[in-house]
Amino acid sequence: MADFGMDDEDLEQMYQEVILDAARDPHGRVGDQADGGEDSDGDGVTIRVEHEACLAAESHQFNPTCGDQATIHVEVAPGEQGGPDLIQRIVWQGSGCSISQASLSIMVDLVQGQTVDHAMDLAADFRKLMESRGAGIEDEKAQDALGDAMVFQGVSKYPMRIKCALLGWEGMKASVAQALSAGRVGDKAVKEEQA
Amino acid sequence: MVIDDSIRQQFPILDQQVHGHPMVYLDSAATAQKPLAVIDAVRDFYLKDNAGVHRGAHELAARSTMAFEHARSRVAALVGAEGQEGGEEIVVTAGATAALNLLATAFGNASLGRGGKAAQRFALKPGDEVVVSKAEHHSVLLPFQELCYRTGAVLKSFDLDPDGRVLADTADQVITERTKVVAVTHVSNVTGAITDIKPIVRRAHQVGALVVLDVCQSVPHLPIDLHAMDVDFAAWSAHKMYGPTGVGFLYGRRELLEALPPASFGGSMVELAYLDRPASYMDPPARFEAGTQPVAQMIGAGVAADWLMDLGMENVAEHEKAIAIGLLRVGELDGVRILGPTTPEDRIGTVAFDVQGVHPHDVGQYVDSRGIAIRVGHHCAQPVHRHFGLMASNRASTGVYNTVADTDALLDAVSGVRRFFRVA
């Protein structure tokens, strides 16, 4: 039978310094939201849009088994004249275990200012890494691109924790998709009005 | 009988190494491990007697039915609910959650006029009140909250004291003339606090309200006498009382079960069925037991009930109190706060705690690496966590097989958590 737990060595491997550091002071977290409290379901979250020209959207992610939760806010600058869409700003509010917090932090570092296509590629590679059951991924280009996010390889051995690591990435994907689809509907409406 | 370490020999599962450490199982509030007597009973049933119950006329069907009904009477005996015939006040369900949903659905059916005049005592209408407490498990809260949404009744709740104990002495204010149902926990699965149900039952019956008691966390740990407690309904599961998963119980006072309309329909709960007119349904408890029953599990549950009665529930309670005292020392560690009463009086050995600055998922992972199984998360009771200003917590809980060495191992592990996560 598979051993889904860990010994001391595994514990150190899962909670590497990069993860513990990132979890203590995660990048991209805004607002001062205490753990728990009545607003912990995210209803009370309001993040101000900084880039008016961008398409903004939010996605609330919740892991009901442990209460990890985050609202991921993105502002996407639409590509002009066929250029790529850019993630102009990505921030989040939330609370959770060190794995979810560190993963959010590293995800923000990786996709902030990047093209949407690049962010989606990273998300796909990160999912592959998390589904690798500890084996990691072979694609060296993907390894390089994931950078610090590769430290979550140790987490991928533990089925109960994979969702923690994926929380932020899922929120990024959902909020970017929402921003773009809202934008398209708006564009279409404007065009129809002009026609 | 004094319960000592030798009882562990009846639980072979406990004798294993986890991540290089002797396993310490402190998650009995989630599910208890099973003694050999229960495991053997389930195996024997499948080896010798397996058949459906209450149908068929062959030898195995007769044996299975006899064993099933005997098990029902043993479960009734464990909780002080023995009727004239044995277990007629015990309805077999798929679990405690299923039992509570059955009851809430049946109340809803009565509210729609089903069950005729006799069932009107269960009917809810707009303006009626259902009272729960802030300490409820979601399996109590949600079925009755949904019942309120369906009927227009208003959901009210008992508040908790700073230790998370239900403020039972506010019963005269919380329960009013409009209250029809009071559904509360006997022992919280988070705080471990025992609810003082006397003032609640007294006030509820004074205004003609029905009392539904969640005894999931009390039946495995305390002597329970449902008749003496004078509650109207109660729900619990077998798997927390050392029986198999997949079976639970709804207790109802006989006259109430007789008036209650069914909630689940199908085979073996009906007397006469037609295409062009309503069916007539069987007497309880069969009326509430549609479909093929979990026979092997029920037989295992009956053996678990006998096994507990042989130990003596007073002895079980006394043994676990000593373990609880050991667990409560976790609150003396730096940065650790107990969610619930910090002394062993009027509580069981279910001890939830928060480690300041470390998320429960991380605490759970850390202690698991030392072979210790505790529960982390919200334990299906989010409102009580909000009461403490938290989303989730860590929970260690006792069973008959726990020892003081188990509590020492937990303390030792938890004392290293904050240092490991660099918050101390």
Side-chain angles (χ1 to χ4, degrees):
Chain A
M1 181 141 183
D3 187 349
F4 290 131
M6 47 168 50
D7 56 24
D8 289 0
E9 204 177 306
D10 285 337
L11 195 72
E12 302 281 351
Q13 207 200 343
M14 177 189 241
Y15 292 110
Q16 295 190 31
E17 286 296 334
V18 176
I19 290 178
L20 291 175
D21 284 346
R24 262 203 311 281
D25 185 18
H27 297 172
R29 185 163 72 182
V30 292
D32 186 29
Q33 190 185 29
D35 287 6
E38 288 297 335
D39 272 348
S40 56
D41 56 0
D43 288 339
V45 172
T46 43
I47 300 176
R48 204 159 29 86
V49 175
E50 284 188 358
H51 304 278
E52 292 298 339
C54 286
L55 307 166
E58 278 173 11
S59 167
H60 185 62
Q61 298 285 320
F62 182 57
N63 180 352
T65 61
C66 64
D68 287 348
Q69 56 102 15
T71 297
I72 292 97
H73 168 103
V74 294
E75 292 165 34
V76 178
E80 282 172 20
Q81 294 162 355
D85 300 325
L86 283 180
I87 298 178
Q88 191 75 31
R89 179 169 181 246
I90 178 163
V91 292
W92 55 279
Q93 279 188 332
S95 60
C97 68
S98 58
I99 302 298
S100 69
Q101 303 294 283
S103 188
L104 273 153
S105 174
I106 291 168
M107 182 271 294
V108 163
D109 289 346
L110 285 169
V111 307
Q112 167 73 47
Q114 302 295 319
T115 68
V116 166
D117 287 347
H118 180 63
M120 293 300 160
D121 286 346
L122 286 173
D125 287 335
F126 187 73
R127 177 168 274 281
K128 272 185 212 150
L129 176 71
M130 295 319 296
E131 288 170 352
S132 74
R133 294 173 172 255
I137 47 175
E138 285 185 10
D139 183 347
E140 283 182 19
K141 258 174 74 180
Q143 287 180 19
D144 288 346
L146 283 175
D148 275 354
M150 285 301 294
V151 298
F152 291 94
Q153 184 175 333
V155 178
S156 73
K157 278 196 233 173
Y158 308 102
M160 308 301 283
R161 304 303 297 275
I162 291 172
K163 216 177 163 194
C164 308
L166 285 172
L167 186 86
W169 290 90
E170 292 302 314
M172 184 276 289
K173 275 162 52 181
S175 54
V176 167
Q178 201 190 319
L180 290 176
S181 70
R184 292 217 176 86
V185 171
D187 289 347
K188 200 177 162 203
V190 171
K191 277 174 198 155
E192 279 171 0
E193 213 172 31
Q194 286 168 343
Chain B
M1 190 200 326
V2 176
I3 295 172
D4 60 28
D5 291 5
S6 66
I7 200 168
R8 294 172 67 85
Q9 289 163 15
Q10 298 184 52
F11 294 86
I13 196 172
L14 297 174
D15 183 23
Q16 61 175 298
Q17 300 276 309
V18 168
H19 318 316
H21 300 266
M23 183 179 76
V24 173
Y25 189 77
L26 286 169
D27 198 17
S28 297
T31 196
Q33 299 302 344
K34 320 305 175 198
L36 280 172
V38 169
I39 297 169
D40 289 346
V42 172
R43 186 170 187 271
D44 280 356
F45 172 75
Y46 280 128
L47 283 174
K48 296 169 193 158
D49 302 327
N50 180 45
V53 295
H54 302 134
R55 60 191 77 178
H58 56 71
E59 170 65 19
L60 294 189
R63 273 192 233 154
S64 291
T65 301
M66 300 270 287
F68 187 82
E69 291 306 319
H70 176 72
R72 191 196 302 270
S73 72
R74 303 319 295 151
V75 169
L78 176 68
V79 296
E82 278 177 296
Q84 288 165 348
E85 297 156 28
E88 69 268 26
E89 293 184 322
I90 303 290
V91 177
V92 175
T93 67
T97 301
L100 291 157
N101 275 281
L102 183 170
L103 190 61
T105 303
F107 286 179
N109 291 347
S111 306
L112 293 169
R114 302 303 298 158
K117 214 170 159 196
Q120 280 308 295
R121 63 194 301 174
F122 308 114
L124 293 168
K125 59 183 188 307
D128 286 346
E129 294 170 353
V130 173
V131 174
V132 296
S133 85
K134 291 193 168 73
E136 297 315 314
H137 190 283
H138 295 164
S139 293
V140 176
L141 169 64
L142 298 180
F144 288 100
Q145 186 181 50
E146 285 293 331
L147 175 65
C148 288
Y149 289 139
R150 290 203 300 278
T151 59
V154 178
L155 188 76
K156 292 174 64 178
S157 61
F158 275 100
D159 223 323
L160 311 177
D161 75 6
D163 281 346
R165 193 186 300 278
V166 177
L167 284 167
D169 57 6
T170 62
D172 287 356
Q173 292 82 55
V174 178
I175 299 170
T176 74
E177 297 288 339
R178 291 184 297 278
T179 304
K180 293 287 160 59
V181 179
V182 180
V184 291
T185 185
H186 188 208
V187 174
S188 160
N189 72 316
V190 175
T191 65
I194 301 169
T195 305
D196 178 15
I197 66 154
K198 270 192 193 147
I200 297 175
V201 172
R202 192 192 317 123
R203 173 62 177 166
H205 287 169
Q206 187 184 31
V207 301
L210 297 161
V211 177
V212 183
L213 196 65
D214 168 8
V215 291
C216 286
Q217 299 292 341
S218 52
V219 166
H221 305 291
L222 303 169
I224 297 294
D225 187 333
L226 292 175
H227 284 166
M229 291 160 96
D230 198 24
V231 296
D232 300 297
F233 294 97
W236 70 104
S237 56
H239 72 100
K240 293 186 205 294
M241 49 168 263
Y242 308 96
T245 52
V247 63
F249 313 102
L250 175 69
Y251 159 81
R253 285 200 291 119
R254 183 166 185 170
E255 53 140 347
L256 293 175
L257 287 182
E258 280 172 358
L260 191 70
S264 182
F265 302 84
S268 292
M269 51 76 71
V270 62
E271 289 171 343
L272 295 165
Y274 309 94
L275 286 176
D276 58 352
R277 57 189 142 131
S280 60
Y281 297 114
M282 294 175 75
D283 286 338
R287 186 189 300 163
F288 306 102
E289 297 176 354
T292 300
Q293 294 300 298
V295 187
Q297 291 86 341
M298 184 57 192
I299 286 162
V303 170
D306 267 333
W307 183 83
L308 278 170
M309 286 185 280
D310 285 348
L311 283 178
M313 290 309 299
E314 300 283 353
N315 298 322
V316 169
E318 191 184 314
H319 170 74
E320 291 191 44
K321 186 163 223 164
I323 310 302
I325 289 168
L327 286 181
L328 287 167
R329 286 184 298 145
V330 77
E332 295 163 15
L333 298 173
D334 250 7
V336 176
R337 170 171 66 131
I338 286 172
L339 315 184
T342 53
T343 55
E345 296 81 38
D346 299 321
R347 62 136 50 241
I348 64 163
T350 290
V351 178
F353 57 96
D354 177 54
V355 180
Q356 197 193 341
V358 186
H359 191 275
H361 239 172
D362 296 322
V363 176
Q365 197 86 53
Y366 183 89
V367 303
D368 176 65
S369 76
R370 276 141 185 81
I372 302 169
I374 61 169
R375 174 83 184 264
V376 295
H378 52 58
H379 325 311
C380 303
Q382 291 175 9
V384 69
H385 279 88
R386 283 190 203 108
H387 172 77
F388 291 107
L390 297 167
M391 269 300 283
S393 67
N394 314 283
R395 182 187 71 187
S397 54
T398 58
V400 288
Y401 32 65
N402 286 118
T403 64
V404 174
D406 292 343
T407 68
D408 288 346
L410 179 75
L411 253 68
D412 185 52
V414 174
S415 68
V417 166
R418 295 185 82 228
R419 200 168 50 247
F420 181 85
F421 289 99
R422 322 283 201 272
V423 294

